[in-house]
Amino acid sequence: MSCIFCQIGAGTIPSKVLFKDDKVIAFRDINPQAPVHIVIIPRKHFTNLNDIKGDDFGLIAYIISIATELARSEGIAESGYRIAVNSGKEGGQVVGHLHFHLLGGRQLTGELG
Ligand code: 5GP
Ligand code: ZN
């Protein structure tokens, strides 16, 4: 298994896990870009959003629901946060396993800010 996030999902690469169930795992980013920077992944390997079809869009909605719960538990729900997906090379995706970034705890700027 060469995919780093599949290995995090399997627990063979350690991470600071905040939430996990049979579908999803959420862990702290190793190189945080904000005081709160959490990565949320489906356990199943999808390369990026282009791999999501049909019923799998329900999983995307579920991941966003987990992100909003984490925003609450991290104390950034009211101050504000960003949920971002980099999909493909020009989207800035580096790790080839679909993942969602939850960022907050400071004023976010950048391409959308
Ligand atoms: P991307 O640029 O692909 O959207 O984001 C990948 C993210 O995964 C980056 O923010 C990077 O810091 C994070 N990351 C890469 N490798 C690891 C790792 O081994 N552990 C953790 N916790 N985060 C990682
Ligand atoms: Zn993977």
Side-chain angles (χ1 to χ4, degrees), residues 4-98:
I4 194 167
F5 283 179
C6 280
Q7 291 177 73
I8 285 178
T12 48
I13 291 180
S15 65
K16 293 181 184 164
V17 176
L18 297 168
F19 174 85
K20 61 178 173 178
D21 66 10
D22 58 328
K23 291 189 180 62
V24 165
I25 181 164
F27 52 91
R28 292 204 192 277
D29 197 288
I30 205 167
N31 182 25
Q33 303 301 305
V36 175
H37 188 172
I38 297 167
V39 179
I40 308 157
I41 65 169
R43 285 183 183 274
K44 185 173 171 191
H45 183 95
F46 299 95
T47 300
N48 59 39
L49 283 174
N50 295 337
D51 274 2
I52 302 294
K53 311 244 156 56
D55 288 349
D56 289 330
F57 280 105
L59 179 61
I60 303 302
Y62 180 60
I63 290 172
I64 290 179
S65 79
I66 299 299
T68 62
E69 279 180 28
L70 286 165
R72 264 190 287 278
S73 60
E74 293 287 311
I76 58 170
E78 298 308 320
S79 51
Y81 55 90
R82 182 178 296 166
I83 296 170
V85 184
N86 299 328
S87 194
K89 182 173 175 293
E90 291 194 1
Q93 185 178 13
V94 174
V95 176
H97 178 132
L98 177 65

